[in-house]
Amino acid sequence: MSDVIITVRGEHELRIAPERATVHLTLAFDGPDRAQVVDRTLAAAGPVRERIEAQKASGSVVEWSSERMGVFSDRPWNSEGRQLAPVHRASVDFTATFSDISAMSEWVAEASGEDGVSVGYIDWHLTPQTEAEVEREVAAQAVGVAVARARAYAEALGLHNVTPLEIADRGLISAGVPPQAKAAMRAGAAFDLESAGGLELQGEEITVSATVEGRFAAN
């Protein structure tokens, strides 16, 4: 009897609390006098950098960066269709990656209260070491699910020998792409304002998932 070819799919996912958070912050001022706007932005950027450096010195921040100051001008229009005098705007973007989520929440609450400061968004993620370990684990578990399904199908047909022929990412067997298994990550964020007026930022669990396809010969 010739071999029966069995093609199955295996999936697995894990949910893990984020270990790090990268804050994207912008410091910006505008006004009619370009020099005053630039000076005000430069003066305010110094303390922001100092506070980030202090967090890094304490171990709460693992890395940070700031962009060069950008300056641009615009001439707005009023409701009567008349173009007004130029408005100048200067801004500096900062990013800071925190390993201490509580310290990050306190820092964001303090920084967001400063004049000209706005927090754009927060990226929640894992350390590179944890990410690599979890990706390997979910990929291996997904392959295990595929193998178990193939054996179940074979047994249902009265077959007992199952030999793997191909393992690939979802959709790649039919596409003829070299076999591989790849994990996907999804993360969200939750923002909770405490009744006492403090700001508590908490990232949702990060979902790491993998889907593989397997082709097996059974006899």
Side-chain angles (χ1 to χ4, degrees):
M1 179 180 180
S2 61
D3 290 348
V4 174
I5 303 302
I6 300 173
T7 303
V8 294
R9 180 175 296 164
E11 309 95 353
H12 190 71
E13 72 174 32
L14 290 175
R15 296 177 181 273
I16 305 174
E19 299 171 302
R20 291 181 176 177
T22 299
V23 182
H24 298 260
L25 178 148
T26 298
L27 172 67
F29 293 98
D30 55 42
D33 188 296
R34 186 179 188 278
Q36 289 183 358
V37 169
V38 170
D39 290 343
R40 187 180 184 188
T41 304
L42 287 173
V48 174
R49 291 191 180 94
E50 291 174 0
R51 286 196 291 269
I52 297 177
E53 282 287 6
Q55 292 288 341
K56 191 173 190 303
S58 70
S60 298
V61 167
V62 295
E63 61 181 4
W64 72 278
S65 65
S66 66
E67 301 293 333
R68 297 177 61 180
M69 183 175 64
V71 183
F72 69 92
S73 302
D74 182 36
R75 294 192 65 185
W77 300 80
N78 64 13
S79 59
E80 300 175 353
R82 181 188 304 174
Q83 196 168 23
L84 305 178
V87 175
H88 306 279
R89 178 181 175 87
S91 64
V92 180
D93 293 327
F94 297 86
T95 60
T97 300
F98 284 78
S99 58
D100 185 330
I101 305 303
S102 295
M104 183 271 293
S105 297
E106 295 177 4
W107 181 80
V108 168
E110 178 182 354
S112 60
E114 296 291 332
D115 190 22
V117 173
S118 61
V119 177
Y121 59 99
I122 299 175
D123 290 328
W124 303 90
H125 48 99
L126 305 172
T127 64
Q129 296 81 3
T130 299
E131 181 177 338
E133 291 173 1
V134 174
E135 286 183 351
R136 285 195 298 269
E137 180 178 350
V138 295
Q141 292 289 346
V143 171
V145 172
V147 171
R149 285 178 176 171
R151 287 175 176 168
Y153 291 164
E155 291 175 2
L157 296 172
L159 307 175
H160 303 288
N161 298 317
V162 177
T163 303
L165 301 177
E166 291 183 88
I167 292 291
D169 247 357
R170 178 177 179 178
L172 297 189
I173 286 182
S174 58
V177 179
Q180 59 177 314
K182 182 178 180 181
M185 298 182 61
R186 302 190 305 273
F191 299 86
D192 297 324
L193 284 173
E194 295 181 344
S195 58
L199 179 64
E200 181 67 24
L201 302 177
Q202 182 178 2
E204 296 178 357
E205 289 185 327
I206 296 173
T207 300
V208 184
S209 63
T211 301
V212 301
E213 292 179 348
R215 182 169 289 161
F216 303 80
N219 55 52

